Amino acid sequence: SFTSGIDSTYKEYVFTFKDIHLSSASGRFQFNGTTDGTNWNVTKTTTVFHSSHKEADDDAALGYQAGDDLAQDTGFQDLQAYGNQQDDNDSCLAGYLHLFNPSSTTFVKHFMAKTNAMVATGYSSSCFVAGYCNTTSAVTGIRFQAVTGNVDAGDICLYGISS
């Protein structure tokens, strides 16, 4: 959880994910925001699509992931679609999340993310997530988690982007 460092200093923040390894093959890496530092339930509307290629080189896909979208929902947003992340020792997730103007008390907060992971079905899957936090309150924190199990390895870094 990032509960400090997201303020009016910058109008854009970038989180990078490196070598995120989940403890469970039935897990997905996800995020949510807070406006009060304690409740991780910011209302979001999102869209998700993926591209994937199977390790055995016998299938590839590009598709919209309707089941991973949120529509005015306060739940955590999956950052990896098209199957659960693989938990093999050599598998991991990498990517980034851009959050725009989180301190605004006038506008909603847009975000976009891109991740790549080896998913449990033997695919390399790139996932693209975009949307907005539908609040005019300042978003003061972001939490990352696994939907099941734990994030047992990896680095998540926060950067402020100056214009």
Side-chain angles (χ1 to χ4, degrees):
S1 298
F2 289 81
T3 56
S4 63
I6 302 172
D7 54 33
S8 61
T9 303
Y10 301 101
K11 290 199 174 195
E12 179 181 0
Y13 288 86
V14 177
F15 298 88
T16 60
F17 323 121
K18 295 169 234 114
D19 299 333
I20 302 297
H21 187 269
L22 303 183
S23 65
S24 171
S26 62
R28 287 187 177 193
F29 188 59
Q30 41 181 217
F31 87 100
N32 208 337
T34 183
T35 59
D36 64 9
T38 58
N39 296 301
W40 302 95
N41 60 357
V42 172
T43 301
K44 290 168 294 307
T45 295
T46 66
T47 188
V48 180
F49 75 95
H50 78 279
S51 63
S52 60
H53 188 236
K54 195 165 186 182
E55 195 173 87
D57 197 24
D58 59 358
D59 190 31
L62 174 66
Y64 169 60
Q65 291 294 117
D68 292 309
D69 286 353
L70 298 178
Q72 290 302 100
D73 195 311
T74 60
F76 277 74
Q77 173 64 54
D78 288 345
L79 291 172
Q80 179 57 49
Y82 200 68
N84 295 320
Q85 190 174 327
Q86 184 73 297
D87 68 344
D88 290 354
N89 288 338
D90 64 347
S91 70
C92 63
L93 174 142
Y96 56 81
L97 168 72
H98 285 253
L99 177 62
F100 299 95
N101 209 10
S103 295
S104 172
T105 55
T106 304
F107 300 111
V108 299
K109 286 56 169 175
H110 293 274
F111 61 85
M112 57 187 180
K114 181 176 184 272
T115 61
N116 186 272
M118 182 190 342
V119 295
T121 52
Y123 286 83
S124 171
S125 177
S126 288
C127 188
F128 304 84
V129 179
Y132 60 91
C133 299
N134 195 7
T135 180
T136 55
S137 297
V139 172
T140 59
I142 298 289
R143 173 175 282 173
F144 298 97
Q145 67 178 32
V147 68
T148 58
N150 298 305
V151 176
D152 61 8
D155 293 315
I156 303 172
C157 299
L158 170 63
Y159 302 92
I161 307 298
S162 58
S163 43

